[in-house]
Amino acid sequence: MENGKVGNGGNGGNDGTVAANGGGGEVMRHGAEVLFLLPQEIETSEIYNVRRWRSDSVDEREVKELELLGACIERDGQIDAGVVIAVGETGDQYLLTQGHRRRRAITMANERRTAEGKGQLRMRVVVDRSGGDHLRKAAVGNLQRKN
């Protein structure tokens, strides 16, 4: 599997991973590049994380919500893709700008799946190559979902 792209209907790769999208495979629409990456393949930055996860002050309600979100993604697929920007000299590393809760939920689900001997879920992300103000886009996205 090259760069986390899934070309076999979205069911994952030969490494036992499963795309968390409910099917679909690699999609190209309106110039958008869709990838299926393991959460650990996606870098994060506190700059883009509007609702921060702080391991030093774990909110039990938040943990439960993330567990439920992970179970829902595992059962029904990931409805909305996260958004990443390409970073690094070769542009083959990705920084998450939208979808931090989904990434955390999939990470938690994968921890449980590993203990159960199951394959890992991959996160569906869209690569935003439009440039522009990614921080503003992330904040607007969170605001619109909240309202």
Side-chain angles (χ1 to χ4, degrees):
M1 187 176 308
E2 182 181 338
N3 286 337
K5 294 180 183 178
V6 177
N8 62 356
N11 295 325
N14 296 332
D15 57 358
T17 60
V18 179
N21 71 332
E26 183 178 350
V27 179
M28 297 293 279
R29 286 194 193 136
H30 308 291
E33 181 180 7
V34 177
L35 304 176
F36 299 90
L37 303 172
L38 292 168
Q40 61 269 26
E41 295 175 318
I42 305 168
E43 297 178 31
T44 60
S45 169
E46 290 302 312
I47 293 171
Y48 294 109
N49 191 0
V50 178
R51 291 179 278 174
R52 290 174 174 79
W53 170 269
R54 292 181 45 201
S55 59
D56 59 337
S57 63
V58 175
D59 178 356
E60 288 184 33
R61 190 181 86 179
E62 178 73 4
V63 170
K64 189 65 174 168
E65 287 177 5
L66 289 171
E67 288 173 348
L68 290 171
L69 177 58
C72 180
I73 290 171
E74 184 176 14
R75 183 186 65 238
D76 301 322
Q78 183 183 338
I79 303 301
D80 294 321
V83 179
V84 297
I85 55 175
V87 295
E89 291 181 20
T90 59
D92 62 348
Q93 297 171 332
Y94 301 97
L95 176 65
L96 190 65
T97 62
Q98 296 177 45
H100 290 81
R101 285 176 43 84
R102 282 165 278 173
R103 180 185 179 277
R104 182 71 183 148
I106 291 171
T107 298
M108 291 170 66
N110 281 344
E111 290 169 359
R112 180 184 44 75
R113 290 174 64 89
T114 296
E116 295 171 353
K118 295 180 180 177
Q120 300 292 285
L121 296 175
R122 289 180 174 269
M123 183 174 177
R124 182 167 48 100
V125 296
V126 175
V127 181
D128 183 349
R129 298 189 191 277
S130 67
D133 188 353
H134 298 288
L135 181 58
R136 182 176 173 279
K137 289 177 186 177
V140 167
N142 278 331
L143 185 63
Q144 288 179 1
R145 275 192 309 278
K146 198 171 197 174
N147 294 328

